[in-house]
Amino acid sequence: METLDRVVEPTEIVAGRHQLRPPSLRDVPDMMEMSRDPDVALWNPLASGADEETAHAWAVRYGDWDGGRSPTFGVYEAVEGRLLGLVSVHKIDLDMSSGELGYRVAPWARGRGIATMALGAVSEWAFGALELTRLQLMHGVENAASCRVAQKCGFRHEGTTRSSYRYGDGELHDEHIHGRLVGDPVPGR
């Protein structure tokens, strides 16, 4: 596996009326509120930032994309500027030309297509900027909303891993694995 000190420098993406950019300290109050949401706490247990110290440390670390190794985009409405969600690219393997995506949406932004827009924009960015051939994502089988987002963004369901991840309830859950290749068609395009 090719290892680099920095895979990429933080950047911004404009997607219609939305801006995707590295998180910052101004996001700490929204991160704390988002992390306290029961759905976020269940499906993103490692993303905890419910207290100010943890949220502050998280914003500092991922504002620099964890040293350029894990691009993390905060999703914002350009006019409002409030944090609506997050999309990250992690487990980047340049030798294998692959990466894994994760995403979450704040409760105040759900039902507006934010996850689909942001996952689609970051996927296109990762295929281009990182020159990746394959992206994948995993989610708890019970997380039907995440499954719909993946499918809308052209990620094919490739299988189910059994008891593969311990989520926020402390239980091991089965997960769906979805994959998309750089040339795969995206529904609606």
Side-chain angles (χ1 to χ4, degrees):
M1 180 166 117
E2 182 177 338
T3 57
L4 302 172
D5 288 338
R6 294 191 76 84
V7 175
V8 67
E9 292 295 326
T11 190
E12 297 183 10
I13 300 171
V14 175
R17 63 178 198 196
H18 295 95
Q19 180 185 40
L20 289 80
R21 58 176 165 73
S24 71
L25 292 177
R26 68 178 167 251
D27 299 322
V28 167
D30 286 338
M31 271 300 302
M32 290 169 44
E33 187 176 346
M34 187 185 331
S35 294
R36 292 179 186 135
D37 175 69
D39 285 333
V40 170
L42 174 60
W43 300 120
N44 296 270
L46 298 178
S48 179
D51 65 80
E52 188 169 357
E53 183 180 338
T54 305
H56 185 275
W58 184 92
V60 169
R61 179 178 178 182
Y62 288 100
D64 184 43
W65 287 2
D66 194 19
R69 293 179 300 275
S70 184
T72 300
F73 291 92
V75 182
Y76 309 86
E77 202 158 49
V79 176
E80 261 182 50
R82 186 172 191 192
L83 180 66
L84 304 176
L86 297 159
V87 180
S88 63
V89 186
H90 51 277
K91 297 182 183 173
I92 298 168
D93 186 332
L94 298 177
D95 286 340
M96 293 296 136
S97 193
S98 65
E100 190 168 316
L101 295 158
Y103 49 93
R104 69 192 87 114
V105 175
W108 53 87
R110 291 189 188 130
R112 298 178 9 200
I114 299 297
T116 302
M117 175 278 302
L119 179 63
V122 172
S123 297
E124 294 303 322
W125 174 85
F127 283 134
L130 301 177
E131 299 179 353
L132 300 180
T133 301
R134 176 185 168 78
L135 291 171
Q136 69 179 34
L137 61 89
M138 298 177 80
H139 64 81
V141 169
E142 304 92 341
N143 190 345
S146 193
C147 199
R148 285 190 302 273
V149 168
Q151 291 170 339
K152 286 179 184 178
C153 290
F155 285 81
R156 297 179 187 172
H157 178 249
E158 296 180 335
T160 302
T161 59
R162 299 179 300 146
S163 295
S164 58
Y165 194 80
R166 192 172 309 278
Y167 281 95
D169 59 4
E171 300 295 322
L172 287 170
H173 288 258
D174 294 353
E175 290 185 295
H176 282 166
I177 183 168
H178 294 262
R180 181 173 159 205
L181 302 180
V182 67
D184 283 350
V186 177
R189 282 200 202 155

